[in-house]
Structures are given as structure tokens and as C-alpha cells.
Amino acid sequence: MIRSGRHYLDALRDGREVWLDGERVKDVTSHPAFRNTAASIAGLYDLARDSAHSSVLTSDGVHRAYVVPRTQADLVARRAAYKVWAEASYGFLGRTPDYMASGAAGFAALPGLFTTDSFDGADNVLAYHRRLAENDLYCAFTITNPRSGTGSEDLLVKAVAERDDGIVVSGAKTIGSGAVFSDEVIVGTIEPLAPDAVDQALCFSLPTDTPGLKLVSRTSYEAQARSTFDNPLSSRFDENDALLVCEDVFVPWERVLTYRNVAATAAMWWQTPAYVNFVHQAATRFWTKLEFLTGLAILVTRSSGTYELPSVTQAVGRLLGMVAQAKAFVLAVEADHEPVNGGAGGVMPGREISYAQRIMAGELYPRAVQEVKGLLGGSVFQLPASGDDLLHPELGPVVERYLRAPGTPAKDRVKLLKLAWDALGSEFAARHEQYERFYHGAPHVSLTMQTWAGGAENSERLARACLDGYDLGGGVGT
């Protein structure tokens, strides 16, 4: 069932415990810190349910991200769906519902991994995938442990009691991007745990309104926005990040995916297609975001009359090269697809190139931002405090006279430059630059996974073949 945006918004009015600025938020759909972003996500559901894009976004009555791909063509079709939703937010909403949907499809492709000596979660993970897909749910995740120095183990989510019908858990997780807008939150651990950390080795998914589950929101950029005109991105696409806190939360056994098994709790992300499915979605969004930034550069330089300058055309060329590089990684992970469980679990994006994409994106995004900032120059320093200046009967003509550009009225120029600043220089923009650097965890995680993907062996083999091909006493030409 593909639900409507209205149905999605209605589901958010469930009494969930969201905290912001020392106050509990009664309704995220109407609160000024969350309502516009909630509406933007609702718009994604409407695109899937009833629009010209419905056939791209859905397959057999579910969002295409939930479909376990069987061929490269299926991966291409899934990417086309990712692209539609990414373009709807210009790449600035990352943890949209298709993100964890692709992760759930990754789990479902290899359910046997969830059968361990300590707990059998194979049926549960298939039910989890089916529940999300059939009800078109938005599932967020919190799979990062808080860092508080020595003794932080006491802060981690762990089972504090076992019952016949489930477990009781307490502790905290970060970074819950999009969690305040979700129907469910999956709680787990993507980084390796110590071999004896069995109390923290668990994964489960709960409705966001579960009693005892708290979401503590960071500063809302949407709440700080003056208007859509003044803050066109942060006012509509602030997916938010939240600290998840469990205080004696009851988890039924049927919602537990792994339990008291260190290996399976990490492997569910790395050894199923879940992680590379995440990268496939994120890489498509990243490609879209670079397209948007490059488009901004073109519009700004055309508006200022500098577009034809050789230095500017070269800078735009470099940005277009970055866009092509981002696109190439998306196409490459599809072409380099790998069978899952000998083909029984379908196919997944190529791991080696997926891990490389994460390294590339974290390094490339700051370069792209700096390139566009260089083209903006000082044009963004002297903008009206708000669009109200343009509407004022006395001040408006003054602003129009002194802030216009040849062929560009002041309102259009100010609108463009405010969009550029929101994307590149605002606090919202700073969060995005930092987020792209650490989108899937610390860089050393992707760098380590890269050595496990097979590329290191091939590189070493080639160098070794050369080294072994000659020795002392060999003359030139021998």
C-alpha cells in the first residue's frame, strides 16, 4: 500500500516524546521547528502515490526501495526511484524513507545471518521487511553509540531485563537523523563491539511513540528560518538529528532482530547488502546535490555577468567534472553488482566501489562547496535582512535601485543569493558539509572496509608480480 502524504502526517500525531529547547513537542506536524520538513516528506509520499513519477517510484504496490533486486536492471530501476526523491529536496534530505527501506531489503536478502546460537531473528527480520513495505512506513535508525570517554559503556543501549514476552532496554544512541519524522526507529550498532560486550549486542525496531522512548532534538534550523524566501532550504528540508534515549523500554521478542551476539549485531549491516544499499541511495542523492550546487554556480555567475570569464568557465568545468565523477560511482556500483548468497538473495551493488564512493564523497563535497563560494565572492555579504525590506513601501525602491544587477531585478538577485547562502554559508549549510564528511561514520570505517573489499589483494598481487619478475644480476633488457 502506497500511502498518501496526509495519511503519513496523521500517523505522526501519536503522542511521541520529542524534546526541543527544554520543552516537549506536542505535535511535530504543526510545531514551527518541524512542520515544513514534515510537509516536505509528506510530499514524497504523494509523489509515489499519485503523480507522473508513481511508476518509477513503485513496484507491485510497494516503494521500489523495498524490492530485493535480482538483476542489474533492478538496481537501475531502484536508482531511478532514488533520483526522483533526491531531486525533490535538491539532495538535502538524506535519510528519506527509501534509505532504511533499502536497508530492510538488504536484511531480507540474507535472513539466515540472523540465526545464531543466542537468538534466531530470521523470521523477525523478514516480518520487519514485510511490515515496513506493506504499510509504507518510514523507519529511521540510531546505530551509533555515544562517546563520553572511559566508562561510556554504561550509556549504551542494553537489555536490563528479560521477560517471557520480550526484553526491557535502557541507554542511548545517536545520531537519529530524521527520527522525529519516522514511524519506527531501528536501534542497533554498526561499529564493532568488544567480544565480551554481549549485553550491548542487540538490534530491534520500535514504533516511535513507544512509552519510555525519548528523542532529544538538536537545534532546529527550520525554527530559525525567517521565511522560505530568506531560508529556502533550511526552512523546508531540515531532516533534524536527535539523541535517542530508552528508559526501561519494553521490546517484544518479535521486534528483536539480534540478541546477545556481537558478531551478528555488526554483520547485519556489513555482511548483508544493507550497507551497500545505503550507499546506493546516498550516492544517488550526493550526485543530485552536486548537480544542484553546480547549477547554483551557473545561475550566480550568469546573474553577475562573469560567466564568460575564462577563470569562471574553468571553475564551472571543474564542478561539472565533480558531478560526472559522482554519477560515475553510481553507475559503477550497479555495473559491478555482486550475487548475494550465490544468487539466492538476488544481487547487491558492488562493495569495493561502494566503499570507495564513501571515501570520495567525504573528500569531494568540501571542495565543491569551496569552489562555489569562490564564485560567489562578496556578493552574499550585503543582502537585506529579510524579504520584508523588498516589500516595504519606502525601503523597497531603495533596495531595488542599489541591489539590482544588469538584466536582473533586485528581488530576483536577492532571492538567488539567499538560496546560495543557505546552501553554502548558513549553519544549515555547515551541518551539511560536516555531515557529508561523516555520512556513514568516521572515515576510518570506510577506509578499513575498503581493504576488506578485495582491492588490497589485487593491488598487492600486481605489485608482487612486478617485484618477483627480476633479481640481482639482471641486466637491461633481460
Side-chain angles (χ1 to χ4, degrees):
M1 175 193 76
I2 302 298
R3 61 179 175 173
S4 67
R6 176 52 52 192
H7 182 279
Y8 161 71
L9 292 174
D10 287 344
L12 295 183
R13 302 184 185 98
D14 55 8
R16 62 189 56 204
E17 191 173 349
V18 176
W19 290 84
L20 174 69
D21 290 334
E23 296 182 2
R24 182 168 176 177
V25 176
K26 294 180 179 180
D27 181 357
V28 297
T29 69
S30 61
H31 194 282
F34 306 107
R35 62 191 178 196
N36 291 342
T37 301
S40 295
I41 297 169
L44 300 180
Y45 278 107
D46 285 334
L47 279 176
R49 180 180 174 88
D50 185 20
S51 79
H53 301 290
S54 296
S55 61
V56 175
L57 287 163
T58 64
S59 176
D60 295 328
V62 301
H63 193 286
R64 199 174 291 274
Y66 285 113
V67 177
V68 176
R70 300 290 170 183
T71 64
Q72 181 180 348
D74 291 341
L75 290 173
V76 172
R78 188 170 69 180
R79 178 247 300 163
Y82 292 154
K83 194 74 166 65
V84 170
W85 270 11
E87 290 191 358
S89 67
Y90 313 102
F92 284 90
L93 284 178
R95 301 287 200 251
T96 42
D98 53 346
Y99 189 83
M100 193 57 225
S102 71
F107 299 154
L110 199 62
L113 183 141
F114 295 84
T115 298
T116 68
D117 293 339
S118 57
F119 184 77
D120 189 352
D123 289 341
N124 288 358
V125 81
L126 291 173
Y128 166 73
H129 173 249
R130 186 166 55 251
R131 179 177 71 252
L132 296 185
E134 292 178 353
N135 295 287
D136 204 16
L137 299 181
Y138 180 2
C139 188
F141 66 37
T142 52
I143 56 177
T144 304
N145 291 323
R147 306 289 185 195
S148 299
T150 304
S152 63
E153 294 79 9
D154 292 339
L155 307 178
L156 311 187
V157 170
K158 63 181 179 181
V160 296
E162 256 187 47
R163 296 173 16 183
D164 291 342
D165 53 350
I167 56 177
V168 178
V169 300
S170 288
K173 289 284 181 177
T174 65
I175 304 166
S177 300
V180 298
F181 304 108
S182 67
D183 297 294
E184 290 194 16
V185 181
I186 191 168
V187 181
T189 302
I190 195 168
E191 66 256 37
L193 292 168
D196 60 349
V198 292
D199 291 339
Q200 292 86 33
L202 73 168
C203 182
F204 54 88
S205 185
L206 288 174
T208 311
D209 65 342
T210 298
L213 191 155
K214 289 180 171 62
L215 293 172
V216 184
S217 170
R218 60 145 165 85
T219 297
S220 168
Y221 308 130
E222 179 180 327
Q224 297 176 343
R226 300 288 295 272
S227 67
T228 302
F229 182 88
D230 295 301
N231 308 95
L233 299 174
S234 56
S235 65
R236 297 179 293 163
F237 307 121
D238 181 16
E239 65 186 351
N240 206 278
D241 309 291
L243 170 72
L244 178 139
V245 178
C246 295
E247 295 182 335
D248 292 329
V249 172
F250 173 65
V251 185
W253 284 122
E254 59 268 23
R255 285 184 166 270
V256 177
L257 306 183
T258 68
Y259 185 59
R260 298 187 68 81
N261 191 290
V262 171
T265 299
M268 63 181 286
W269 308 102
W270 299 107
Q271 293 183 24
T272 74
Y275 181 82
V276 290
N277 283 356
F278 288 159
V279 174
H280 193 203
Q281 188 266 9
T284 305
R285 179 200 55 78
F286 183 76
W287 162 27
T288 304
K289 201 172 185 179
L290 289 189
E291 285 182 316
F292 172 78
L293 293 184
T294 302
L296 270 184
I298 292 170
L299 293 177
V300 167
T301 54
R302 282 182 174 165
S303 174
S304 65
T306 61
Y307 183 71
E308 301 296 334
L309 295 176
S311 61
V312 172
T313 57
Q314 290 171 21
V316 172
R318 285 192 294 270
L319 286 165
L320 288 169
M322 295 179 195
V323 171
Q325 185 176 347
K327 177 182 177 180
F329 270 91
V330 175
L331 303 185
V333 300
E334 296 164 359
D336 196 41
H337 61 277
E338 303 174 24
V340 179
N341 194 23
V347 299
M348 64 180 179
R351 287 174 293 177
E352 186 176 356
I353 298 174
S354 293
Y355 300 145
Q357 193 278 338
R358 285 291 79 219
I359 299 167
M360 176 277 298
E363 296 174 351
L364 192 64
Y365 191 75
R367 287 172 47 203
V369 168
Q370 292 307 310
E371 194 78 67
V372 184
K373 281 184 174 181
L375 295 173
L376 286 175
S379 61
V380 290
F381 293 158
Q382 194 63 66
L383 292 175
S386 78
D388 292 341
D389 289 354
L390 290 157
L391 299 174
H392 193 276
E394 181 179 349
L395 184 59
V398 175
V399 174
E400 177 61 46
R401 179 179 181 183
Y402 290 105
L403 290 185
R404 70 181 187 272
T408 307
K411 186 191 78 170
D412 294 343
R413 182 167 179 262
V414 169
K415 182 181 181 182
L416 173 60
L417 292 176
K418 279 185 174 286
L419 172 60
W421 184 252
D422 208 21
L424 299 161
S426 65
E427 187 175 356
F428 170 84
R431 180 262 185 191
H432 272 269
E433 182 171 340
Q434 190 74 354
Y435 208 56
E436 294 297 350
R437 289 174 181 263
F438 299 98
Y439 195 76
H440 281 145
H444 73 267
V445 175
S446 295
L447 290 167
T448 300
M449 294 307 298
Q450 187 69 41
T451 65
W452 295 349
E457 293 181 3
N458 293 334
S459 298
E460 184 178 355
R461 176 192 57 79
L462 190 59
R464 176 60 63 184
C466 179
L467 191 63
D468 291 345
Y470 61 90
D471 208 339
L472 285 170
V476 176
T478 62

